[in-house]
Amino acid sequence: MYSSKIIGLGHHVPETVITNQYLSNLMDTNNEWIVERTGINERRWIDPKVDTVANMAAKATRMALKNAKLTEQDIDFIVFATITPDYFFPGSGVLLQRELGLDGRIGAIDIRNACSGFIYALSVADQFIKTGMYKNVLVVGAEIQSTALDITTRGRNTAVIFGDGAGAAILQRSDKPGVLSTHLHSDGHFAEELYVKDPGSSRPHAERQPEQILDTTSFKVVMNGSQVFKHAVVRFNEVINEALEKNNLKKEDINLLIPHQANLRISQFIQQKLALRDDQVFNNIMRYGNTTAASIPIAMSEAWAEGRIKENDLLCLAAFGSGFTWASALIRW
Ligand code: COA
């Protein structure tokens, strides 16, 4: 059987830097609160005249292709993780395909698993490669959360956390070990603890197509922060151990853990629980906030560019988010 290797990584974030100070002009919050509770100093927000989910993904993809020494024409399939597509439908996978000029030749699917989306997408791509169906699969995570945030004091526990961005990985068929295993979980009992309700298809006409939406929170991100935190720390730990056990490996074998950048306190909790050294964990949430499905590929791309991932290293990815969903992947680089 084939295995799949990541042979190129890339990322793109919007130009506009949103500092904690800037947010404190919009809502009742302050730099100290945000840094202490989340570890975030700044995040990027899109300029709607410039950025879309698909064009940010295209920029990340071009960087990944360059690093992989491939061209657009080499891509056999697109797996696009986003919960913030440019349109309600179709998904942003086909828009990326259009941006890349690959009209009609290849397929594209969207994965809607929030912060776990990139690992789910990686897993889907890995299966396509292992069965021999495709050779080069583009796996992308890209999100625009900023325009769905409630940027008033009412939404402050959520608005300070999220940011926009895109990351991409090129997965290629190989006869050497690469993605060792992926572990996917979900529990829909908690769907409403972190969600955007509208425009939900099961809603009556007037609610799905309101005359004006200014007074309703149902189009904005709603999060029960303490529930999310409580479950995240348990599931992250479980799903990392599940991956290690499956491959008969120990936590000491991990060269680099790249956790989904949910919140620095969550990453630090996991690091402590697994007794990992600082050099075994990569965090960049300080600069970008939580970019949902884009956070792992952006972090991977930066870690790789900084020389933190070397050949034969054991890389562990882990995520938790809306759904709830959680997932992990072990990769031999
Ligand atoms: N600025 C200042 N004060 C804020 C605030 C903000 N941005 N957001 C909330 N507060 C206030 C609350 O109103 C509350 O005030 P009160 O005690 O007077 O009612 C107080 O701070 C504590 O609120 P609480 O929600 O209990 O804080 P917390 O310690 O749970 O921290 C989160 C909130 C969101 C930072 C925390 O729950 C968290 O990190 N959860 C996980 C979120 C996450 O990772 N999401 C992504 C999942 S992929």
Side-chain angles (χ1 to χ4, degrees), residues 8-15 44 51-68 118 138-143 164-170 282 284 287-288 291 293-307 309:
L9 289 162
H11 66 279
H12 175 80
V13 292
E15 294 253 309
R44 305 295 180 98
D51 306 298
T52 67
V53 165
N55 76 23
M56 290 197 300
K59 287 173 189 158
T61 298
R62 291 200 177 98
M63 181 174 163
L65 283 169
K66 193 160 169 243
N67 288 328
F118 184 80
L138 168 60
V139 188
V140 176
E143 305 277 5
D164 305 334
I170 312 289
F282 188 85
N284 63 3
R287 283 175 285 124
Y288 302 132
T291 57
S295 97
I296 288 180
I298 294 174
M300 244 198 311
S301 174
E302 286 199 342
W304 190 55
E306 286 174 23
I309 310 173

Side-chain angles (χ1 to χ4, degrees), residues 27-30 33-34 37-38 114-116 153 155-162 194 223-230 232 236 260-263 265-266 290 292 320-322:
M27 61 192 82
D28 182 12
T29 188
N30 56 73
W33 194 97
I34 301 172
R37 307 285 175 121
T38 71
C115 296
S116 308
T153 298
R156 65 183 176 173
N157 79 322
T158 309
V160 300
I161 289 180
F162 292 99
L194 174 49
M223 179 178 77
N224 180 342
S226 58
Q227 273 281 34
V228 171
F229 198 103
K230 220 167 61 193
F236 260 108
H260 161 57
Q261 301 291 293
N263 179 314
R265 278 165 62 217
I266 294 178
N290 175 341
T292 318
F320 176 90
S322 168

